[in-house]
Amino acid sequence: MTAPAGPGVAERRRVRVAGGRPRASPRPSGGGAVPWLYLAPALAVLGGLLLYPIYQLGLISFFHYTQAQVSGGEPTTFEGFGNYARLFSDGEFWRVLLATVLFAAACVVSTLAVGCALAVLLTRVRALPRLALMLAALGAWATPAVTGSTVWLFLFDPDFGPVDRVLGLGDHSWTYGRLSAFLLVLLEVVWCSFPFVMVTVYAGIRAVPAEVLEAAALDGASQWRIWRSVLAPMLRPILTVVTIQSVIWDFKVFTQIYVMTGGGGIAGQNLVLNVYAYQQAFASSQYSLGSAIGVVMLLILLAVTLVYLRLLRRQGEEL
């Protein structure tokens, strides 16, 4: 005697349609809004911490806003794009902008080169050297910018610093010349920035299947060829993230330049946009002009990021 089909079997029979295929379960109503409900608290915090300051920055840039308006001695007047017209007609602004772009590009390239090289090195050394290198890098990463800048100034000090003595340069002042001062700041920026690139790229390399690297090595590929033809294409999404982060960080460098060059160097020869905006807003009390510089910096960073992402999309990369 055959046992009657249980409720599970009967239920499965009822959900089958013609052709023997199971009917898709209906989606719960309002499913698309559920993720946004979970993200709502974080979005509210980000909106308060990011969007509102950006709104105030843009608003002030359209007014005549100096110390007189802050103290209430004079009324605030609307200038429209007057601050931007003054800014773009100033030759000093374009000189500082060019210096900022070149300095940021050098910092980004150097940081990526050092970080990626050390990430590959971490995969080829034993556990103890790897741990020592990781701890040293994380120590540099955790050092505050003011502390790191002060230490580097001492190392390259013409009177007491050990670098000049080791190199036999006598009392050479690294912060006197324009290029040497930028080089000194670049070294400090790379020193405190490469650990992020190194750790991120190292984690990506460890996720690559070992069989892929072994096959490339068996085919006779050198380490440089393995990186260029195998690892770099597979790590492109990770390299995109660290590149964009490095561009943003290095383009708006402030502390290292301000501390190591004494506020922008001799006669402002080492000014970058962030320090230039600080001088205009607080040293000269031209808050509206400083805000306009901040808006220009924001638009440049957004444009660079969007162009870079667009190029990657054209190459078929998913981020």
Side-chain angles (χ1 to χ4, degrees):
M1 183 175 180
T2 305
V9 177
E11 181 65 24
R12 286 196 297 270
R13 288 175 179 173
R14 282 196 296 269
V15 299
R16 290 187 176 274
V17 295
R21 295 181 180 179
R23 183 185 297 124
S25 302
R27 292 183 178 180
S29 59
V34 173
W36 292 104
L37 292 177
Y38 286 110
L39 292 174
L43 292 177
V45 173
L46 289 177
L49 295 178
L50 297 178
L51 296 181
Y52 182 73
I54 291 175
Y55 163 75
Q56 287 292 337
L57 184 72
L59 184 64
I60 294 175
S61 68
F62 289 106
F63 287 87
H64 180 69
Y65 198 70
T66 63
Q67 186 61 39
Q69 282 74 33
V70 173
S71 60
E74 294 181 7
T76 302
T77 57
F78 180 75
E79 289 197 354
F81 290 96
N83 291 312
Y84 295 96
R86 289 174 53 197
L87 190 65
F88 295 148
S89 62
D90 186 7
E92 179 74 4
F93 166 76
W94 294 107
R95 185 186 69 82
V96 174
L97 176 60
L98 177 62
T100 304
V101 171
L102 295 178
F103 175 73
C107 288
V108 171
V109 173
S110 303
T111 302
L112 292 177
V114 173
C116 292
L118 291 179
V120 175
L121 178 63
L122 286 176
T123 63
R124 303 183 61 82
V125 298
R126 296 183 180 274
L128 189 58
R130 184 188 307 125
L131 178 61
L133 180 56
M134 292 282 283
L135 291 177
L138 292 178
W141 194 14
T143 303
V146 175
T147 305
S149 301
T150 304
V151 171
W152 276 78
L153 274 180
F154 169 75
L155 293 176
F156 288 84
D157 185 83
D159 297 322
F160 307 103
V163 175
D164 283 354
R165 297 181 181 180
V166 172
L167 298 179
L169 297 178
D171 57 350
H172 174 72
S173 176
W174 291 81
T175 58
Y176 182 78
R178 183 169 186 253
L179 294 180
S180 61
F182 270 128
L183 176 62
L184 182 60
V185 178
L186 182 144
L187 293 176
E188 201 280 334
V189 170
V190 172
W191 175 75
C192 66
S193 301
F194 84 86
F196 170 73
V197 178
M198 183 191 73
V199 173
T200 306
V201 175
Y202 172 72
I205 294 177
R206 298 297 295 179
V208 175
E211 296 81 4
V212 176
L213 302 179
E214 292 176 359
L218 290 176
D219 289 339
S222 62
Q223 292 299 319
W224 167 247
R225 186 62 183 272
I226 292 176
W227 167 260
R228 187 184 64 179
S229 302
V230 180
L231 287 177
M234 298 183 71
L235 298 176
R236 188 167 295 173
I238 293 177
L239 294 176
T240 300
V241 173
V242 297
T243 300
I244 293 176
Q245 290 280 5
S246 297
V247 168
I248 294 174
W249 289 341
D250 297 337
F251 191 82
K252 60 185 187 67
V253 165
F254 174 83
T255 304
Q256 290 88 343
I257 289 285
Y258 192 83
V259 173
M260 300 180 72
T261 65
I266 301 174
Q269 64 180 2
N270 296 113
L271 280 177
V272 293
L273 277 181
N274 231 355
V275 180
Y276 184 59
Y278 175 83
Q279 288 186 351
Q280 294 296 325
F282 297 100
S284 302
S285 297
Q286 297 288 335
Y287 302 110
S288 53
L289 194 59
S291 298
I293 299 174
V295 172
V296 171
M297 291 180 59
L298 175 64
L299 294 178
I300 291 175
L301 289 176
L302 286 177
V304 171
T305 303
L306 292 177
V307 168
Y308 193 65
L309 293 178
R310 185 178 179 85
L311 291 176
L312 289 178
R313 287 295 182 92
R314 285 184 178 179
Q315 296 175 2
E317 293 293 334
E318 293 294 336
L319 300 179

